[in-house]
Amino acid sequence: MKKFIIQITAFSIVMIITFFALLSMADGYTDDFYIRFTTKQQNNLIIGTSRAAQGIHPDVLNKKLDKIFFNYAFTGLHSPYGEVYYNSIIKKLDSTTKNGTFIISVTPWAIASKTIERNDGKNFREVGLQLDNTKNVNSSPNFDYLLNNLQGRFYQILANPFASSTFLRKDGLLEVDIPMDSISIELRANKKIKAYREKDLKNYQFSELRLKFLKKLIIELNTHGKVYLVRLPIKKEVLEIENELIPKFNEILIDEIIPLTSGYLDMSRNDFDNYIFTDGNHLSKESGIIVTEHIANWIEKTN
């Protein structure tokens, strides 16, 4: 009996070690968020939803502004402005930072609520998801994140990287590798626009509470450096839908948000045909680089 117990114990120890060794192999192919929770605290941040996650390139900013940037933007589901995202950003920020640069991407969806009561923060869509359930956002490997969010699908860690359409870089940029022929782009754009028009538009509404947390975030970041507000380019049809969602979006920014920042760059209204979008909503890699260079040049001139 004693020998059996020893064997079982030894086997269990080996299995546990093997399991955590497996978790330690997680990388940028594991999922679209993990790597952002495995790096140290940062001094210069890119903040926002998936448009920023895919469209604002840290390496381009690094070269232009001579600083090291980290993309801490996620998605419209996971990182709209609110208590959850605010708390996660504060954890990611190096609290000793005094001369940081913070680029905040804004969209109407990011200050809109899907709840019946638009200011019902306890039931906001991001509550309970990755940014909410990951307490330590600066750990490598981050077992907390993997255990809470892979939901037992640990085989993803060993998945063939060539089968994945996304790769999360160590600087936080999400690279997307999908067909970019004109037919594929048009099909994805039509699908995205239809979803926005027929599903999302009627279910979202402006939330004063989300706006309050955006203001709170900017005020906090101002104590660590300068905050720059940007609105990224989107397809004309998407912009029209957003104008219906929050008709006075820019007026709200002008009245309550822009005065708290070091400037606002609105790239949503002009030159629709100058950029390529993967789906009408997200910039292609090449267009993202061009837009990021534009942001960097604007920040240089603003300073």
Side-chain angles (χ1 to χ4, degrees):
M1 183 66 179
K2 183 178 180 180
K3 182 178 180 180
F4 176 74
I5 293 175
I6 292 174
Q7 289 176 334
I8 289 296
T9 301
F11 177 76
S12 299
I13 291 173
V14 170
M15 292 301 294
I16 291 171
I17 293 173
T18 302
F19 175 65
F20 280 98
L22 170 64
L23 295 184
S24 299
M25 295 171 63
D27 59 13
Y29 290 107
T30 299
D31 72 3
D32 293 345
F33 300 159
Y34 174 64
I35 291 298
R36 296 195 187 104
F37 297 110
T38 65
T39 58
K40 65 180 182 179
Q41 290 182 312
Q42 303 292 323
N43 304 108
N44 309 286
L45 292 170
I46 297 161
I47 295 165
T49 57
S50 58
R51 290 179 193 171
Q54 299 176 35
I56 303 181
H57 292 239
D59 56 333
V60 175
L61 296 171
N62 297 348
K63 294 176 183 177
K64 289 279 187 176
L65 301 178
D66 195 27
K67 290 188 173 185
I68 303 300
F69 281 83
F70 188 79
N71 194 317
Y72 202 62
F74 294 82
T75 75
L77 172 63
H78 298 84
S79 60
Y81 296 108
E83 184 175 11
V84 169
Y85 196 22
Y86 173 86
N87 288 339
S88 192
I89 291 168
I90 297 306
K91 292 176 186 176
K92 197 65 186 178
L93 174 66
D94 184 338
S95 61
T96 65
T97 300
K98 296 299 180 184
N99 189 34
T101 299
F102 308 101
I103 299 172
I104 296 183
S105 171
V106 290
T107 76
W109 307 103
I111 57 169
S113 168
K114 200 177 180 181
T115 52
I116 296 175
E117 165 49 52
R118 62 189 180 185
N119 296 313
D120 180 11
K122 292 183 179 180
N123 291 298
F124 276 168
R125 58 189 183 271
E126 67 272 23
V127 172
L129 300 181
Q130 283 91 327
L131 274 75
D132 192 24
N133 67 31
T134 305
K135 305 308 177 185
N136 186 343
V137 301
N138 310 291
S139 175
S140 180
N142 196 321
F143 297 129
D144 175 33
Y145 177 89
L146 295 171
L147 293 172
N148 284 331
N149 296 295
L150 288 193
Q151 299 177 333
R153 299 190 302 271
F154 302 115
Y155 59 85
Q156 290 180 206
I157 297 173
L158 298 176
N160 181 0
F162 296 105
S164 176
S165 61
T166 60
F167 174 70
L168 187 61
R169 296 189 338 199
K170 290 184 178 180
D171 62 7
L173 180 78
L174 182 65
E175 293 186 347
V176 178
D177 182 17
I178 52 179
M180 289 299 293
D181 60 277
S182 59
I183 294 177
S184 296
I185 293 174
E186 185 176 3
L187 286 173
R188 289 192 298 266
N190 290 340
K191 182 178 179 180
K192 175 66 70 175
I193 292 166
K194 183 178 180 181
Y196 273 148
R197 170 68 61 189
E198 298 181 3
K199 181 181 178 183
D200 296 331
L201 186 57
K202 63 183 179 182
N203 290 320
Y204 283 79
Q205 55 184 329
F206 168 61
S207 169
E208 293 87 355
L209 182 59
R210 290 202 182 280
L211 183 68
K212 178 182 177 180
F213 270 100
L214 176 56
K215 292 170 67 175
K216 182 178 180 180
L217 174 63
I218 293 171
I219 291 170
E220 175 61 30
L221 293 178
N222 276 330
T223 67
H224 298 281
K226 293 185 177 181
V227 177
Y228 298 91
L229 208 65
V230 300
R231 190 174 182 188
L232 295 173
I234 47 177
K235 196 172 176 65
K236 185 177 181 180
E237 292 83 350
V238 177
L239 179 62
E240 291 171 351
I241 293 171
E242 293 189 352
N243 288 340
E244 293 181 46
L245 174 64
I246 304 181
K248 296 184 178 180
F249 180 67
N250 266 3
E251 286 84 345
I252 292 172
L253 295 182
I254 291 170
D255 291 341
E256 303 197 42
I257 301 298
I258 296 174
L260 302 174
T261 72
S262 294
Y264 174 47
L265 178 63
D266 185 0
M267 293 177 282
S268 68
R269 297 177 177 272
N270 301 308
D271 303 324
F272 299 106
D273 297 328
N274 288 352
Y275 304 107
I276 298 173
F277 303 94
T278 59
D279 57 2
N281 185 48
H282 302 96
L283 291 162
S284 68
K285 180 179 180 179
E286 293 75 18
S287 289
I289 291 173
I290 294 171
V291 166
T292 305
E293 289 176 341
H294 185 45
I295 293 171
N297 291 335
W298 168 69
I299 290 176
E300 278 188 317
K301 291 178 182 178
T302 303
N303 287 331

